[in-house]
Amino acid sequence: MKVGITGANDPALEKVKEIVKKEGINIKIVQFSDYSQPNTALANGEIDMNDFQTYTFQSDWNKKHKTNIVTLGTTVIAPMSLFSKKITKLSQLKKGDKVAIPNDVTNEGRALQLLESAGLIELDDSKIPNLRDIKKYNVGIKISSLDAGQTAKSLDDVTAACVNSGVASDAKLNPKDAVFREKITAKSKPYVNILSTNAKDKDNPTFKKIVKAYHTKEVADVIKKQFHGYESPAWTYKILQ
């Protein structure tokens, strides 16, 4: 039973692995270095499930790649943050300052909404905005897009960057040091992380046991302890159901 992840480790999934082993289910965690490999591997049958993406990312991926990847259950909600090595508060951002955002459709849209909620830009009413949907720059920042995995590394070259929690965690960026953070509201639901599989396996009883194991207090406690505020157990928020 192979489950794909991105990044260095996944303590929550390690705990799930420990729980289901008692039921005779052996999980092998397969690590990938970017956001395109886990879905490609899943569609090709190289892995059975993955644990890395949001509802929105999965939907966009299916449309673009003609795949039929479906949701098994929710995992974590991981607020995106604006980090900087050069400033400590939003008011220090000035005209011409460079701000990096992820370049994949869903994370780009999420980053732009983060910048809008921070009061830096104004967007039109697009559900998933892109750079063309910026109506107004309240501060004349220059926005550049790059691979989500590179956003933390770009902090030496830009004034600030919108960084996903997993990337921030791997880069040892402290969420308490963020210049600005996403707030968890009903609008956060598209950005809840999920366990995914191919449609043909959506009713697989073994996979359902893995989701059930994930949605336990034991795993919620691991998330709260290990992720230091980067991520929270999504299934515990009524607002996200």
Side-chain angles (χ1 to χ4, degrees), residues 26-92:
N26 292 305
I27 291 177
K28 182 184 179 186
I29 298 172
V30 182
Q31 295 177 358
F32 295 101
S33 60
D34 66 41
Y35 281 26
S36 63
Q37 294 177 70
N39 276 339
T40 302
L42 181 60
N44 290 343
E46 294 163 25
I47 58 175
D48 304 291
M49 188 188 294
N50 61 40
D51 176 16
F52 83 102
Q53 65 194 326
T54 62
Y55 283 114
T56 312
F57 189 97
Q58 178 179 276
S59 173
D60 182 66
W61 182 276
N62 279 332
K63 281 177 198 162
K64 283 185 176 166
H65 298 86
K66 306 287 190 289
T67 46
N68 199 2
I69 293 169
V70 298
T71 305
L72 286 163
T74 60
T75 57
V76 297
I77 179 73
M80 183 181 274
S81 299
L82 184 70
F83 286 99
S84 176
K85 289 184 177 178
K86 300 176 175 69
I87 62 167
T88 54
K89 51 189 178 184
L90 286 172
S91 59
Q92 293 172 311

Side-chain angles (χ1 to χ4, degrees), residues 35 80-86 98-104 107-108 111 144-169 171 173:
Y35 281 26
M80 183 181 274
S81 299
L82 184 70
F83 286 99
S84 176
K85 289 184 177 178
K86 300 176 175 69
K98 293 179 182 175
V99 176
I101 65 172
N103 65 3
D104 59 278
N107 283 309
E108 180 182 73
S144 58
S145 301
L146 65 164
D147 183 86
Q150 299 302 311
T151 48
K153 294 174 184 173
S154 76
L155 286 170
D156 289 327
D157 307 312
V158 299
T159 307
C162 296
V163 186
N164 293 68
S165 73
V167 176
S169 177
L173 295 172

Side-chain angles (χ1 to χ4, degrees), residues 15-33:
K15 187 65 181 177
V16 172
K17 178 180 175 180
E18 187 185 304
I19 293 168
V20 298
K21 191 167 186 181
K22 296 166 190 168
E23 296 188 61
I25 301 167
N26 292 305
I27 291 177
K28 182 184 179 186
I29 298 172
V30 182
Q31 295 177 358
F32 295 101
S33 60

